[in-house]
Structure formats: C-alpha cells, structure tokens
Amino acid sequence: AQTVTQSQPEMSVQEAETVTLSCTYDTSESNYYLFWYKQPPSRQMILVIRQEAYKQQNATENRFSVNFQKAAKSFSLKISDSQLGDTAMYFCAFMKPHSGGGADGLTFGKGTHLIIQP
Amino acid sequence: NAGVTQTPKFRVLKTGQSMTLLCAQDMNHEYMYWYRQDPGMGLRLIHYSVGEGTTAKGEVPDGYNVSRLKKQNFLLGLESAAPSQTSVYFCASDRAPPYEQYFGPGTRLTVT
C-alpha cells in the first residue's frame, strides 16, 4: 500500500513571500500520479496541480510549481508571491492507475495548514 | 454544469439508524469515489466505482455499502450508524486520464 507523508502540520508566512510545502511518498510502482489539493475554510477540495510520474518536467500552474524528485520520492509544492486567499489546508495525494483504465482512488497525506499573514 | 453535488449537506443520526448519501455528477465521468475526512486527517477512500454497476472497496469500507445503478449517481449507505462514523463525507468523480478528481461540497454527518 502507498503512504503519503506531510511533515509540516502548519506553516505561516507573510503575504508576497514564497513558501514550500513538503511531501514524501512510499511506493513500489513506477507509473503513478501525484497531486496537490487545496481545502479552504469552505471545505471544498480544489485541485492545485498534478504531476505524472513518467514526466521529468516539473508541473507549473501560474504561481504554483512542484519539485518532483522521483528517486527520492519527494513532491514539494512551491507557492510564489503568496496571497491571503492561499490560506488553506493543503493535501498531497498519490494515485496509481489501473492498466486497463480507472484507478484505486487517491491516497492523501494528513495535510499542511498554511496561513498567509497580511 | 453543476459538477459534483451531494445530498444532504448536513445530517444528524442516532446510533443504529440508517441513511443514504447521494452523489450526482453531470460531467459524464466514468469513475466515482466516496471518501471520509476526520479531524487532523487527510481524506480516506471508503468505496469507489469504475463504471455503472461496478463497485470496489477502498481503505475503510467497513460499515458502508454503495451502489452505482446509473452512471451519474453513486450512493453511499450506512445500514446501522455508529458514533465512529461521525465525519465529513466527500464524493468525487474523474475520467482516466487525466485522473483529475472533482469533489462535491461534502456532507457533515454526526452520529449521537
């Protein structure tokens, strides 16, 4: 079974600063997907960014980027120019697809509570 | 396009009562999932479905049953609710690839 570990229960930074959230995972699979989800106080789960394990290039989405280190099984999220609206829980997640389509669902870490201070 | 919707949003049950949570998606997604979220935890997979009429167990399936009679709906049932099932329940759907799951707003269930 896969495990996902987020070692930072809470982080706090000033607005406009850059912050990096850590995530490590354990798997014996070679083909998988990694995700970062944001959960603001509204409780809605929002996809932030996605990485396919077979792609070496790190994914980026506007102010959000990842540092994917496959050999080290590390998948950190960098938020640049942080904004007050970035305050939320952030969850790292792992998915192993089936060869015939479909997947077992996401395995989540316990989350990091990110607070952006004005 | 409503995305993923969940009914109800809140519910309080007494121990031993039964209920069904409904998840509906209008994106024609093949795959659907039920998760639960407890305080200090990430979401954990209860059951999932890779197509109409098919379901499979996830990480924490005990005490729950599911059905997927229509492609757009995925039902989660609690036959005899227990206080340990107090949680927030999320439904999600996606297609493969890109395996980007879209989540419903969640249902907060309290069992007393």
Side-chain angles (χ1 to χ4, degrees):
Chain A
Q2 286 70 230
T3 59
V4 177
T5 301
Q6 294 180 248
S7 59
Q8 305 150 312
E10 185 170 290
M11 297 186 71
S12 180
V13 299
Q14 296 294 123
E15 194 175 6
E17 289 184 345
T18 293
V19 59
T20 299
L21 309 183
S22 300
C23 173
T24 58
Y25 58 95
D26 186 24
T27 185
S28 58
E29 303 292 333
S30 59
N31 181 30
Y32 52 87
Y33 293 76
L34 295 164
F35 305 84
W36 279 98
Y37 278 86
K38 170 184 177 181
Q39 187 179 42
S42 67
R43 198 170 70 192
Q44 181 68 49
M45 294 290 289
I46 302 165
L47 177 64
V48 174
I49 201 163
R50 165 182 166 272
Q51 176 78 43
E52 299 168 53
Y54 62 86
K55 288 189 176 179
Q56 291 187 333
Q57 187 172 5
N58 289 323
T60 63
E61 287 288 342
N62 301 313
R63 297 183 296 108
F64 299 87
S65 61
V66 298
N67 184 3
F68 174 48
Q69 302 289 327
K70 191 172 185 179
K73 296 180 182 176
S74 170
F75 183 60
S76 60
L77 174 69
K78 185 172 83 170
I79 305 174
S80 303
D81 185 27
S82 57
Q83 301 174 359
L84 296 178
D86 295 333
T87 293
M89 285 292 294
Y90 285 82
F91 293 98
C92 179
F94 173 102
M95 172 183 274
K96 176 178 75 71
H98 297 160
S99 57
D104 291 341
L106 293 164
T107 299
F108 285 87
K110 291 187 176 182
T112 296
H113 185 206
L114 176 64
I115 301 168
I116 309 299
Q117 306 275 10
Chain B
N1 189 338
V4 180
T5 58
Q6 292 183 230
T7 308
K9 289 186 170 49
F10 303 93
R11 186 74 185 267
V12 179
L13 286 179
K14 294 187 188 304
T15 297
Q17 287 184 322
S18 64
M19 78 163 293
T20 300
L21 282 67
L22 171 63
C23 176
Q25 53 95 4
D26 61 3
M27 297 172 283
N28 201 35
H29 284 167
E30 200 65 35
Y31 314 119
M32 297 186 74
Y33 311 85
W34 276 107
Y35 297 89
R36 61 177 287 172
Q37 184 178 27
D38 300 304
M41 304 280 290
L43 282 68
R44 291 182 293 168
L45 184 66
I46 304 172
H47 285 280
Y48 64 100
S49 169
V50 297
E52 185 177 322
T54 69
T55 63
K57 294 180 180 180
E59 180 186 353
V60 288
D62 293 343
Y64 305 95
N65 56 75
V66 288
S67 64
R68 183 126 181 246
L69 300 179
K70 295 182 179 180
K71 185 177 183 179
Q72 63 269 32
N73 296 336
F74 195 28
L75 279 63
L76 178 71
L78 287 73
E79 289 188 349
S80 180
S84 61
Q85 294 178 304
T86 292
S87 190
V88 178
Y89 292 86
F90 287 94
C91 176
S93 70
D94 70 0
R95 63 166 62 93
Y99 298 108
E100 295 178 358
Q101 290 192 11
Y102 291 82
F103 283 80
T107 294
R108 181 175 293 279
L109 174 66
T110 301
V111 183
T112 62

